[in-house]
Structures are given as C-alpha cells and as structure tokens.
Amino acid sequence: EAGVVQSPRYKIIEKKQPVAFWCNPISGHNTLYWYRQNLGQGPELLIRYENEEAVDDSQLPKDRFSAERLKGVDSTLKIQPAELGDSAVYLCASSLGPGLYGYTFGSGTRLTVV
Amino acid sequence: AQKVTQAQTEISVVEKEDVTLDCVYETRDTTYYLFWYKQPPSGELVFLIRRNSFDEQNEISGRYSWNFQKSTSSFNFTITASQVVDSAVYFCALSGVSGGYNKLIFGAGTRLAVHP
C-alpha cells in the first residue's frame, strides 16, 4: 500500500512569491492533516480535514495561507505571499478517521524562502 | 494547556550503548494518549508506540522499551544496545480528550546520533 505522498520534496522561492504543496493521502483515509515543522522543533498542526470539510483551521495563518481538499481526497496547501519565516517542513498526515486512528505521515516538503 | 518537554536536545552514543530519551508532559485531561515517533533523515515521521493514560504497564518491543510513570508525568524511551540505524530525531507527543484526540502536541525532539 502506498503511503502518504507529498510533492514537491524541496522548494526554494524568493519572498513574496506564491508556493503550493500537494498531498495525496492513503486511499480510504477520510481525515487529513497539515503540520508545519520549524527547524529544531516538533510539528504543529495547521489544519485538519474530515473529508472535504476543514474542521480545525484555528492554527492556520489565514492572511497568507489557504488550503483545500476537493472531493475529500488530495489536498493542496498554499502560501501567498511567502515570508522568510515560512521556511519550514510542511508535513501531511492522514488517518481513517478522527481521534485515535493511527496517523500516517508523509515525507514532507522542505520550503526555503530566500 | 498541553505541553510536551524533551529536555535533551542531542544525545551522542557509541554503538551498543543503552540510551534513554526523556519525555515529560503536562495536561489537565484525565484521559490522554502518549506517542513516540522516529524521524529519520528522510523526513517522514515513523510511529513507534501509543500508550493511553490508564495503562501504566511498561512495554518492550525488541530493543525498544518504554517507561510510563503518571506520578511524574513522564514517558521515557530506552533503546538497548543502540545501532547506527537508530540515529534519528525522536519525538514524544500527546493527544488529549479535550481536543477529541484530534491533535498531536509534539515535543521539540531529541536528536540521537549513534556512532560506530
């Protein structure tokens, strides 16, 4: 079974440019998470989807970040415009459902804003 | 508020040494789950264990063992006879009932380097 697939693996952009990350969760996983991991820190939740609905986006900086999960499968996380402080690893995870179902994480997208 | 503290930023050991990674947590939830994840250089988070707050039994899985002590709010992880392949960043995480168990609160991680 394929795991959680994320692309691109690495991205370098200049500040003020837009950037998008893509996540393909495990087939059948209804819950999808985006986490951000700053250098030397643990991941922090940005947004959680149940199917196509964003049920927890309280940690998402909505002035520049947006996300979507059309048809409740793949998801895209966008930053526009990017700032230097957005440099981090963006991790996607999925699970069968909310709560205590096991989380499976992708390998992440490492974003560097210069 | 919920918080996970991993006081050890980096640990360096020689192969075959035993090593313990510390984890201390804070939560007001009476029901919660604790996790350990491994993050190798490839970047993905690999699930190692989940323990619920009502189960204080220690667990052993091969060279890995976990010591959960509710009295000290600690959930420590020991690797016996460490190997070079154990080199990675290890994260302890907490998920509580107040959040519907929908959110993992991670510690800052401990980077373990095992040298030949």
Side-chain angles (χ1 to χ4, degrees):
Chain A
E1 173 183 86
V4 176
V5 180
Q6 291 188 246
S7 68
R9 190 78 174 85
Y10 304 93
K11 189 74 176 180
I12 300 174
I13 63 170
E14 294 183 346
K15 61 181 180 182
K16 301 185 181 179
Q17 293 303 305
V19 64
F21 316 123
W22 175 79
C23 173
N24 179 235
I26 290 176
S27 177
H29 279 198
N30 298 322
T31 307
L32 184 144
Y33 309 79
W34 282 102
Y35 280 80
R36 178 170 62 187
Q37 184 177 10
N38 292 317
L39 186 64
Q41 298 182 23
E44 295 179 326
L45 181 68
L46 289 175
I47 190 169
R48 172 172 65 95
Y49 280 91
E50 296 299 337
N51 298 302
E52 65 274 10
E53 183 181 359
V55 294
D56 182 0
D57 62 357
S58 57
Q59 302 300 312
L60 191 72
K62 297 180 184 63
D63 56 336
R64 297 182 300 105
F65 285 65
S66 64
E68 61 181 13
R69 191 185 184 195
L70 300 176
K71 301 181 181 180
V73 181
D74 294 359
S75 178
T76 303
L77 178 67
K78 298 178 182 178
I79 308 175
Q80 183 172 10
E83 296 179 352
L84 294 177
D86 296 330
S87 295
V89 175
Y90 291 84
L91 290 161
C92 180
S94 69
S95 66
L96 279 170
L100 294 171
Y101 290 93
Y103 301 79
T104 302
F105 283 86
S107 297
T109 295
R110 182 177 296 276
L111 173 67
T112 301
V113 183
V114 298
Chain B
Q2 299 184 330
K3 185 179 179 181
V4 176
T5 301
Q6 295 180 255
Q8 303 151 309
T9 304
E10 294 189 30
I11 299 176
S12 182
V13 299
V14 176
E15 211 170 16
K16 298 184 183 177
E17 284 186 30
D18 298 347
V19 58
T20 296
L21 283 61
D22 298 333
C23 173
V24 174
Y25 61 92
E26 297 175 29
T27 181
R28 292 182 179 177
D29 288 343
T30 54
T31 306
Y32 50 89
Y33 282 76
L34 295 165
F35 301 77
W36 276 95
Y37 283 87
K38 175 182 180 179
Q39 188 174 44
S42 53
E44 77 277 18
L45 285 165
V46 178
F47 169 82
L48 296 178
I49 190 172
R50 182 183 76 190
R51 172 68 71 210
N52 77 55
S53 52
F54 295 109
D55 183 1
E56 290 193 67
Q57 275 192 330
N58 291 333
E59 181 156 342
I60 298 175
S61 176
R63 296 183 297 107
Y64 295 171
S65 62
W66 291 269
N67 184 344
F68 175 31
Q69 292 198 340
K70 220 169 173 180
S71 61
T72 56
S73 297
S74 65
F75 187 42
N76 296 337
F77 173 31
T78 297
I79 302 175
T80 302
S82 59
Q83 300 176 1
V84 173
V85 293
D86 296 327
S87 297
V89 181
Y90 291 86
F91 291 96
C92 181
L94 166 72
S95 181
V97 65
S98 62
Y101 306 112
N102 286 316
K103 183 176 179 179
L104 286 170
I105 306 296
F106 285 87
T110 297
R111 181 177 298 278
L112 173 65
V114 182
H115 301 285

